[in-house]
Amino acid sequence: MICELFPFQKQAVNEMRLRVAMALNNYRMLKIPQVVSLQAPTGSGKTIIMSSLIEDIFYGSEQFTEQPEAIFVWLSDSPQLNEQSKQKIELKADKIRMDQCVVISDEAFDREILEDGHIYFLNTQKLGKAANLSRHSDTRQYTIWETIENTARKKADRLYFIIDEAHRGMQGRQAGTATSIMQRFIKGSSEQNLSPIPVIIGMSATAERFNSLVGRATNSTLHKVVISPAQVRQSGLLKDRIVITYPEDPSKHGDMAVLQAATDEWQDKCKHWYQYTYEQHYPNVNPVFVIQVCAGSGNKVSDTDLDDVIAKIEERMGDSFKENEVVHTFGSTGTLTIHGLTVPHIEPSEIAEDRRIRVVLFKENLSTGWDCPRAETMMSFQRAEDATYIAQLLGRMVRTPLQCHVLVDDSLNDVRLFLPYFNQDTVQKVIDELQATEGGEIPTVVDGESLEDQTYDTWSVHNHQYQRKKTQKQMVGQMSLFDYPNGFQDEPTVASSTAAGDMPNLEAAVANQDGTALIIPAEEHPSVTLEAEPRNDVHNDQETEGKSEAATGEGKQSVKKEQPVLTPVVSQMSMFPTIDREEITKFINEQGYLTYIVRSVKINSYLKSLMSLAGLLSQFNICIIANEDVKNDVAELIRNYVNGLHDAGRYDELTKQVMEMKLSVQIFDVFGEKIQNDNQIDMFTASESDLDRQLRVADAKMGGCGFHLAYGRKYIDFDNPNAFKVDCILFAFDSECIANLNQYAEKKFHELNDQYRKYIVAKPEKCQKQYSDIVANGDEISKHNFILPETISAKVVADGIKYADHLFANADGIAKIKLNGWEQAVLAEEQKRKDYVCWLRNPSRQSWSLRMPYEIDGKCKELYPDFLIIRRDPILKYIVDILEPHNPDFKDNLGKAKGLANYAANEPRIGRVQLIRIGKDAAGENRFKRLNLAKGSIRNKVLAAINTDELDHIFDTDGVFED
């Protein structure tokens, strides 16, 4: 494959390959039809997974031998989907030749049996009763049904029939007809004299959809491979969020007003993407604005005023479109003239690759044959009854343009949909339809927000206007230019005051040296006493498990006793000096603090991970010779082994076995059975091609890294040019040698990662992402650099507290965050410190969050500490602390204490690493007791503890109350 598969995709390909081999073997022995089902949500790359599977079957893999005579039939329900799948295979599967992909033509196709080594594309529209392929004629001797039946009967050991149910192009009655046709291949059809196909491979978004296709009246054996939405979400293939915006009161906000808001959003995306791609050296994304207009009545092209649509967008842009920047997909309609602009027709499948396109006008033909990750913003003039279609369309818009999560600017990780004729209830119908399409769990967060009350706010570390805002007195009734932030076509805005409403008398103006005023909208920060109140939700555990386990009860015990709770009893005003958020973020990112990723399985072998890491270090000039060093090391391993064989007098005898092809080949055939299975079978002397075939198998056993080529370049004997091939084959088929090679790879991989991880932070984001993926795929618990983004999208919390000292803040310098009682009080204590600067809420499950491994019930999980506290340091300038207030009665208490202790041992540059609970001081008052795991003596005690009673004792002896 040209593209590197994501970890979950690699897992799926490997599992599919095994299941398909089992299915083929089961049919060979039992003659019972087999169905292998790939169930994966929208955006998981099902076509890519299937392309990789086809390539593995044709050309072999580490575990399975090649099957070049395999035959594939790819059935979908529309010609556009056929073409789209064919193009993806040709573009992504570099081993598959273009002449291997054949679209079955209903005019000219006529074969008794399908030809070996080909992929045939077929759609249900060509299989109806009246279709040419279903009838004999003067130019057609065999119907397509006869061709497939003959192939299945004579070549059952190599026929793979793929049913693409995941990408449905048909709706309504047409969809039912397509399903009925697809079922004939699974169940057989007496009308077409067709037997059930021996091995079916199905692609579907949900189990329900594929089960309805397979039906109950079949004796086929079903094998399932399932990709969860969580796996897709973590990959970065999909947008993090779909935000659906609607007017709370459509009478106040007409469709053109919503169009203006959508245009603003699109323009903002254009600017953000341009800046991001420019700084990270990516090609510009060129976001597309997709606009659904109404169908036309009478002779009208559309009942939506298209001239007005383009005029309003251009007015909002302050610029005019150029030719080919606006296109339409209106069925048979040709080129149009809209608002004086020539607007050509384009096929949906061509949108993504035409970089000139900025705006797409369509009616109802973009839900199939269309894949455009550049579609960042959508506006629909359709009425609320079209919820199903809009949900289907959204499923095509959630893919990320660069196939990765954006680290620097989190606002680029969402897609926006504007619906002027919907309200809160009808937007919920869209969400419900999308959930139904995905089987109840969407791999992307979907939220609705009204124009009047936003759901997400953009927080940044960049200096905000409020920090140096010149204030001037304004006469009562006097207008200001700032009353018209969006131009004079709007109504003047009402001046908002942070002192109004929920913040009375809490705005503090601090004079700067230049005479300007520093406006810090302060919030009520509680001055607290500790009072015992009977509550069970003392600490809403915010880590990976805690948030979900609160509902299930997993991960914590019921609280054994009433816990003390912090209750704010006195309110006071707090003022903070100017926070240089950019400088702090730059400082943190340059440190490359340690963070971890925990996975349930290791994706790649250490050998593959080592070569990928070495290649990355060489490519980005971190260690130019890393790749060559590894290949030279492996070449020396092979040479030392061969010298040992010579010294032991075994080399000639083993070479003879290679030339007579007597070596045991530990790989599987297409039926999943070991070839030769440790039996040495006498065969003829190997020819050059036979030797090369054994060498390819040897290369596969050594990870497919080309070590045989490096060895050959170094030790080739021109008098005996095949000698190096024999050496590599002998090495690869010695299990002890492969074990030594893997041990070397594991050690070298960790050495390179530990040595060069700190240098990755200074490289572009592209390098950082590749590094993170390589390391994460190489270990179940992998080390990474903690890198903060510059911008995040934060969900608006109505009942949160406004903080002016949070590291991320909105345009007014405020972050509105909801904390529980313990968290508020811990933060209040920190804010009293003389060296305190600011704080960061460390959220769970965010790609940038600080996380560390801990163990509970024998399983390794991720811990997300609650707070990062940034303090001033006279030498380093800043120092970062990790604080974790935690209920001592939670089941995971000891595991998380040890997780924090291990982290402190591995990352000595962090300041305090504290586990915090409430205890009584000498006066009998409830106060926060802190266990600082950054101290070696305390850390060692915690790591040696075997139960929570011992941890409680350590708190008693070593916990401190900070003033």
Side-chain angles (χ1 to χ4, degrees):
M1 297 293 289
I2 291 176
C3 58
E4 179 75 13
L5 269 62
F6 286 87
F8 75 89
Q9 293 174 332
K10 293 177 184 177
Q11 279 185 279
V13 170
N14 293 336
E15 193 171 349
M16 286 288 292
R17 185 67 190 92
L18 177 61
R19 299 286 183 182
V20 167
M22 291 171 57
L24 208 60
N25 193 41
N26 287 350
Y27 181 80
R28 182 181 65 170
M29 293 187 300
L30 305 174
K31 300 304 177 186
I32 297 175
Q34 307 286 309
V35 177
V36 182
S37 166
L38 172 63
Q39 297 168 13
T42 294
S44 56
K46 289 181 280 291
T47 305
I48 296 296
I49 292 170
M50 203 60 64
S51 301
S52 182
L53 174 65
I54 292 172
E55 197 174 74
D56 277 3
I57 292 174
F58 270 144
Y59 298 98
S61 61
E62 283 186 57
Q63 290 79 26
F64 292 89
T65 188
E66 69 268 17
Q67 192 184 18
E69 71 279 8
I71 302 168
F72 294 89
V73 178
W74 190 305
L75 178 67
S76 61
D77 71 354
S78 78
Q80 293 90 345
L81 291 174
N82 271 165
E83 187 59 33
Q84 185 178 340
S85 301
K86 178 175 175 288
Q87 287 178 0
K88 281 191 178 180
I89 292 176
E90 291 174 344
L91 288 172
K92 303 297 185 181
D94 54 332
K95 294 181 182 178
I96 296 175
R97 304 185 313 274
M98 295 185 72
D99 63 354
Q100 288 183 272
C101 298
V102 178
V103 176
I104 294 179
S105 168
D106 51 0
E107 289 87 12
F109 189 85
D110 184 24
R111 296 188 65 92
E112 179 183 2
I113 298 176
L114 296 176
E115 189 177 355
D116 290 355
H118 285 77
I119 308 167
Y120 293 93
F121 293 90
L122 184 62
N123 64 78
T124 55
Q125 296 180 21
K126 296 179 180 179
L127 298 176
K129 292 181 180 179
N132 291 335
L133 286 174
S134 298
R135 297 180 300 174
H136 294 102
S137 67
D138 294 339
T139 58
R140 177 169 286 106
Q141 184 177 355
Y142 301 98
T143 68
I144 189 63
W145 304 102
E146 292 169 342
T147 301
I148 293 173
E149 173 67 19
N150 293 339
T151 305
R153 187 173 64 252
K154 297 180 180 180
K155 298 183 178 182
D157 62 339
R158 70 197 75 166
L159 176 62
Y160 304 89
F161 201 96
I162 300 169
I163 295 181
D164 185 357
E165 198 277 338
H167 306 103
R168 297 307 300 266
M170 300 294 102
Q171 305 297 328
R173 180 178 297 179
Q174 288 180 317
T177 302
T179 298
S180 177
I181 292 173
M182 288 178 174
Q183 287 175 337
R184 295 173 189 172
F185 296 100
I186 300 172
K187 301 177 180 180
S189 171
S190 57
E191 183 180 354
Q192 278 78 30
N193 294 319
L194 179 70
S195 305
I197 299 298
V199 175
I200 296 281
I201 302 174
M203 300 161 58
S204 181
T206 66
E208 291 76 17
R209 282 171 58 173
F210 195 77
N211 290 340
S212 66
L213 175 66
V214 174
R216 301 183 184 278
T218 177
N219 63 344
S220 297
T221 302
L222 182 61
H223 310 258
K224 293 182 180 180
V225 176
V226 180
I227 296 174
S228 70
Q231 289 175 294
V232 184
R233 188 182 300 119
Q234 293 167 3
S235 71
L237 268 175
L238 302 185
K239 295 283 192 178
D240 289 350
R241 295 166 296 278
I242 301 173
V243 182
I244 305 175
T245 302
Y246 57 90
E248 192 67 49
D249 186 354
S251 63
K252 291 184 179 179
H253 295 88
D255 51 12
M256 289 302 167
V258 177
L259 177 62
Q260 287 184 345
T263 303
D264 292 343
E265 165 63 23
W266 170 60
Q267 286 283 282
D268 188 61
K269 276 291 180 66
C270 290
K271 294 172 184 175
H272 279 249
W273 272 119
Y274 178 81
Q275 180 178 355
Y276 173 77
T277 53
Y278 176 79
E279 292 174 351
Q280 302 299 328
H281 308 291
Y282 287 114
N284 190 19
V285 167
N286 295 323
V288 172
F289 188 7
V290 182
I291 303 174
Q292 183 183 28
V293 299
C294 299
S297 56
N299 295 325
K300 290 184 178 180
V301 174
S302 170
D303 287 343
T304 304
D305 190 338
L306 301 182
D307 290 314
D308 199 17
V309 169
I310 298 301
K312 283 290 190 294
I313 297 175
E314 289 184 338
E315 179 184 336
R316 205 68 176 175
M317 289 168 49
D319 196 5
S320 298
F321 288 113
K322 299 178 180 66
E323 193 169 335
N324 293 309
E325 288 186 338
V326 180
V327 298
H328 75 86
T329 65
F330 298 161
S332 58
T333 307
T335 299
L336 299 173
T337 299
I338 303 175
H339 191 56
L341 179 69
T342 300
V343 179
H345 174 270
I346 191 170
E347 290 296 328
S349 59
E350 299 173 4
I351 295 172
E353 298 304 320
D354 193 335
R355 312 294 292 186
R356 300 171 298 175
I357 297 174
R358 303 182 65 196
V359 175
V360 177
L361 304 173
F362 76 102
K363 295 177 185 175
E364 292 187 349
N365 62 340
L366 283 190
S367 64
T368 179
W370 180 65
D371 215 350
C372 186
R374 291 196 294 125
E376 291 279 309
T377 308
M378 176 184 161
M379 162 84 178
S380 176
F381 285 93
Q382 294 281 25
R383 300 288 170 173
E385 58 265 21
D386 295 319
T388 301
Y389 178 80
I390 290 174
Q392 292 169 347
L393 182 63
L394 274 177
R396 314 300 297 169
M397 293 181 61
V398 295
R399 292 158 176 80
T400 51
L402 301 179
Q403 291 193 320
C404 61
H405 184 91
V406 175
L407 301 178
V408 176
D409 188 345
D410 194 47
S411 67
L412 298 179
N413 293 314
D414 60 36
V415 61
R416 296 265 175 167
L417 169 61
F418 291 80
L419 302 175
Y421 294 107
F422 284 63
N423 56 31
Q424 186 174 3
D425 294 335
T426 49
V427 163
Q428 186 58 46
K429 288 183 181 179
V430 174
I431 297 174
D432 293 342
E433 288 287 346
L434 194 55
Q435 287 176 327
T437 303
E438 295 299 325
E441 187 173 1
I442 308 169
T444 299
V445 175
V446 183
D447 280 307
E449 70 172 18
S450 68
L451 282 174
E452 299 83 355
D453 186 15
Q454 66 181 122
T455 302
Y456 286 93
D457 195 7
T458 299
W459 293 357
S460 175
V461 299
H462 296 296
N463 291 327
H464 303 285
Q465 291 180 355
Y466 89 96
Q467 291 178 324
R468 289 193 179 272
K469 185 192 299 180
K470 291 184 179 180
T471 58
Q472 297 179 355
K473 291 184 178 180
Q474 185 172 335
M475 299 296 292
V476 177
Q478 179 183 9
M479 288 189 176
S480 164
L481 287 175
F482 297 104
D483 292 336
Y484 294 88
N486 297 318
F488 287 99
Q489 68 271 23
D490 296 331
E491 291 293 324
T493 58
V494 179
S496 60
S497 171
T498 52
D502 61 337
M503 297 181 64
N505 303 320
L506 291 178
E507 184 177 271
V510 182
N512 288 302
Q513 292 178 356
D514 60 1
T516 60
L518 173 64
I519 306 300
I520 302 179
E523 177 63 34
E524 294 183 11
H525 290 283
S527 174
V528 300
T529 59
L530 300 181
E531 299 178 356
E533 292 184 5
R535 280 182 57 185
N536 290 337
D537 57 338
V538 174
H539 177 69
N540 295 328
D541 197 5
Q542 308 250 344
E543 283 82 36
T544 306
E545 293 74 41
K547 286 184 177 178
S548 59
E549 290 166 4
T552 62
E554 183 184 347
K556 66 176 184 179
Q557 297 172 339
S558 60
V559 179
K560 293 177 290 187
K561 56 183 178 292
E562 294 181 354
Q563 292 293 324
V565 178
L566 298 180
T567 304
V569 295
V570 179
S571 296
Q572 66 178 15
M573 185 179 70
S574 175
M575 292 190 300
F576 300 98
T578 302
I579 302 170
D580 193 338
R581 291 177 166 90
E582 292 184 40
E583 182 182 71
I584 294 169
T585 303
K586 185 173 183 289
F587 170 83
I588 292 174
N589 289 347
E590 286 177 348
Q591 304 309 303
Y593 292 127
L594 193 60
T595 187
Y596 292 84
I597 291 179
V598 177
R599 284 186 169 149
S600 57
V601 295
K602 187 162 73 76
I603 305 300
N604 288 334
S605 66
Y606 281 118
L607 202 54
K608 182 172 179 59
S609 297
L610 171 61
M611 293 309 298
S612 298
L613 180 58
L616 181 78
L617 296 176
S618 300
Q619 177 187 352
F620 286 94
N621 297 324
I622 299 170
C623 179
I624 298 176
I625 60 173
N627 205 35
E628 284 304 312
D629 279 352
V630 171
K631 290 183 177 179
N632 285 333
D633 287 349
V634 176
E636 288 306 310
L637 286 176
I638 298 173
R639 193 63 177 176
N640 292 337
Y641 169 72
V642 171
N643 289 338
L645 292 179
H646 279 294
D647 293 342
R650 298 179 56 216
Y651 183 81
D652 292 339
E653 176 60 28
L654 289 173
T655 299
K656 183 180 178 182
Q657 291 185 24
V658 171
M659 300 309 294
E660 293 179 355
M661 298 182 68
K662 288 186 175 181
L663 282 179
S664 173
V665 183
Q666 298 298 321
I667 61 174
F668 297 93
D669 63 13
V670 297
F671 301 106
E673 296 184 347
K674 284 185 178 179
I675 295 177
Q676 296 187 20
N677 201 22
D678 296 328
N679 297 321
Q680 295 183 349
I681 303 173
D682 290 332
M683 298 184 69
F684 51 83
T685 302
S687 64
E688 185 82 23
S689 60
D690 296 325
L691 197 62
D692 287 342
R693 183 180 183 280
Q694 291 188 75
L695 186 62
R696 289 197 300 272
V697 174
D699 180 44
K701 289 180 72 65
M702 290 189 289
C705 303
F707 293 134
H708 63 296
L709 299 176
Y711 180 81
R713 284 193 298 269
K714 194 170 184 178
Y715 292 110
I716 189 169
D717 180 356
F718 291 101
D719 293 330
N720 184 9
N722 284 332
F724 86 91
K725 300 178 183 178
V726 174
D727 292 352
C728 294
I729 292 169
L730 291 175
F731 181 87
F733 286 101
D734 188 312
S735 58
E736 187 175 340
C737 288
I738 296 299
N740 291 336
L741 177 62
N742 288 326
Q743 287 176 6
Y744 159 80
E746 180 179 359
K747 181 180 178 183
K748 189 69 174 178
F749 173 72
H750 289 133
E751 282 180 1
L752 291 178
N753 186 24
D754 290 339
Q755 183 176 357
Y756 294 107
R757 179 173 58 83
K758 58 182 174 290
Y759 301 117
I760 299 292
V761 296
K763 295 298 178 180
E765 186 174 318
K766 182 177 182 180
C767 174
Q768 294 178 22
K769 287 176 182 174
Q770 290 181 23
Y771 164 79
S772 182
D773 289 341
I774 290 168
V775 174
N777 294 345
D779 269 318
E780 293 179 15
I781 302 173
S782 54
K783 298 177 181 178
H784 299 260
N785 294 314
F786 177 54
I787 303 292
L788 288 172
E790 296 175 10
T791 304
I792 65 173
S793 289
K795 197 162 187 178
V796 175
V797 182
D799 54 347
I801 298 175
K802 295 179 180 178
Y803 291 96
D805 58 337
H806 189 261
L807 183 57
F808 290 104
N810 63 17
D812 296 322
I814 296 297
K816 196 172 184 181
I817 302 173
K818 184 177 181 179
L819 302 177
N820 65 28
W822 276 34
E823 292 166 341
Q824 289 182 44
V826 167
L827 184 58
E829 278 194 5
E830 292 299 311
Q831 289 167 340
K832 295 176 183 177
R833 295 179 63 100
K834 293 180 180 180
D835 57 353
Y836 170 83
V837 179
C838 65
W839 67 289
L840 173 65
R841 173 62 146 176
N842 186 49
S844 65
R845 292 197 177 98
Q846 294 297 318
S847 61
W848 55 268
S849 302
L850 181 72
R851 45 195 158 181
M852 55 197 69
Y854 77 100
E855 190 172 312
I856 181 170
D857 296 332
K859 295 181 180 179
C860 192
K861 297 185 178 182
E862 288 180 336
L863 160 64
Y864 297 83
D866 282 343
F867 296 134
L868 299 186
I869 301 296
I870 295 89
R871 296 181 289 118
R872 290 185 184 84
D873 185 84
I875 300 174
L876 300 175
K877 195 164 188 177
Y878 297 107
I879 194 163
V880 178
D881 302 324
I882 295 174
L883 273 56
E884 170 64 11
H886 203 69
N887 188 331
D889 290 325
F890 284 175
K891 180 182 177 181
D892 59 5
N893 205 51
L894 179 60
K896 289 185 175 178
K898 290 189 174 185
L900 288 165
N902 280 316
Y903 181 86
N906 292 322
E907 185 48 275
R909 295 170 299 170
I910 290 288
R912 299 172 297 162
V913 180
Q914 293 185 338
L915 187 66
I916 302 172
R917 57 174 65 168
I918 290 179
K920 292 188 180 295
D921 61 12
E925 297 291 331
N926 285 328
R927 293 179 59 192
F928 282 117
K929 201 166 194 177
R930 302 171 181 241
L931 197 64
N932 190 1
L933 300 164
K935 293 184 177 180
S937 58
I938 297 175
R939 182 168 64 243
N940 292 336
K941 290 181 181 179
V942 170
L943 291 174
I946 59 175
N947 54 48
T948 54
D949 290 339
E950 291 189 14
L951 180 62
D952 293 343
H953 179 69
I954 296 169
F955 255 101
D956 292 338
T957 58
D958 295 274
V960 297
F961 300 102
E962 292 188 354
D963 294 330

